[in-house]
Amino acid sequence: MASRLNPYISFAGDARQAMEFYKSVLGGDLTLHTFGDMGGGAGQSDKIMHGTLETPAGFTLMGADNPPGTEHQAGNNFAVSLSGDDPDELRGYWEKLSAGGNVSVPLEKQMWGDVFGMCTDTFGIAWMVNISGQNA
C-alpha cells in the first residue's frame, strides 16, 4: 500500500453517528472499531476507537471518539494522518514533522500491532503517523 494522507477527526462521543452520516453523504465502505473491540475503554467499550470511511471517489476520512480522560475541544479536534506500510518513508516523515515540535505519543508499537505516534509540528498542526503491522 502506498502511503496516504487524510484528515482524522476526533469526536465527543458521537463518532459512530458522525461517521455514519458522512457515509450517507459520500457513500463508500465504513469500518468501525470500538474501544471494547481492542480490549479497553472501561465505561466506553461501545465508543469508537478508530473508524475509516473509504469512498468511491477515492476520499478517505478517519475519525474516533476522544479516548477516556482526554478533553474534546471543538475547532481543534482534527489531525492530519499519514499511514502506510513503508517504515523508512513514514519514519522519515515522522522525524521531520516532530523535530522542534511536541510529541504526545512516541512513534512505537501499539496494542493493535502497528507502530503509531502523534505529534504537533512547529506550526501547531497535529499529525498522526501509522506504520502497518507487518512492516512496522
Side-chain angles (χ1 to χ4, degrees), residues 10-129:
S10 296
F11 297 94
D14 55 357
R16 179 182 305 277
Q17 296 87 341
M19 295 299 286
E20 288 172 351
F21 169 74
Y22 299 135
K23 178 183 179 186
S24 76
V25 172
L26 302 169
D29 296 316
L30 177 61
T31 305
L32 298 173
H33 300 284
T34 65
F35 285 98
D37 293 338
M38 299 297 169
Q44 288 198 336
S45 62
D46 63 333
K47 297 298 180 187
I48 303 303
M49 181 178 171
H50 178 71
T52 304
L53 176 62
E54 301 277 355
T55 75
F59 304 146
T60 300
L61 178 65
M62 295 181 181
D65 288 310
N66 271 22
T70 61
E71 183 181 344
H72 180 268
Q73 296 179 333
N76 193 21
N77 58 328
F78 73 94
V80 181
S81 172
L82 280 167
S83 57
D85 59 6
D86 185 329
D88 294 332
E89 178 182 45
L90 291 162
R91 285 179 190 280
Y93 295 146
W94 171 262
E95 291 302 321
K96 292 173 186 173
L97 289 166
S98 63
N102 179 41
V103 173
S104 54
V105 176
L107 187 66
E108 59 190 21
K109 190 137 188 146
Q110 301 296 323
M111 67 180 168
W112 60 88
D114 294 353
V115 170
F116 174 82
M118 292 176 59
C119 69
T120 302
D121 68 21
T122 57
F123 298 99
I125 303 300
W127 290 85
M128 300 173 154
V129 175

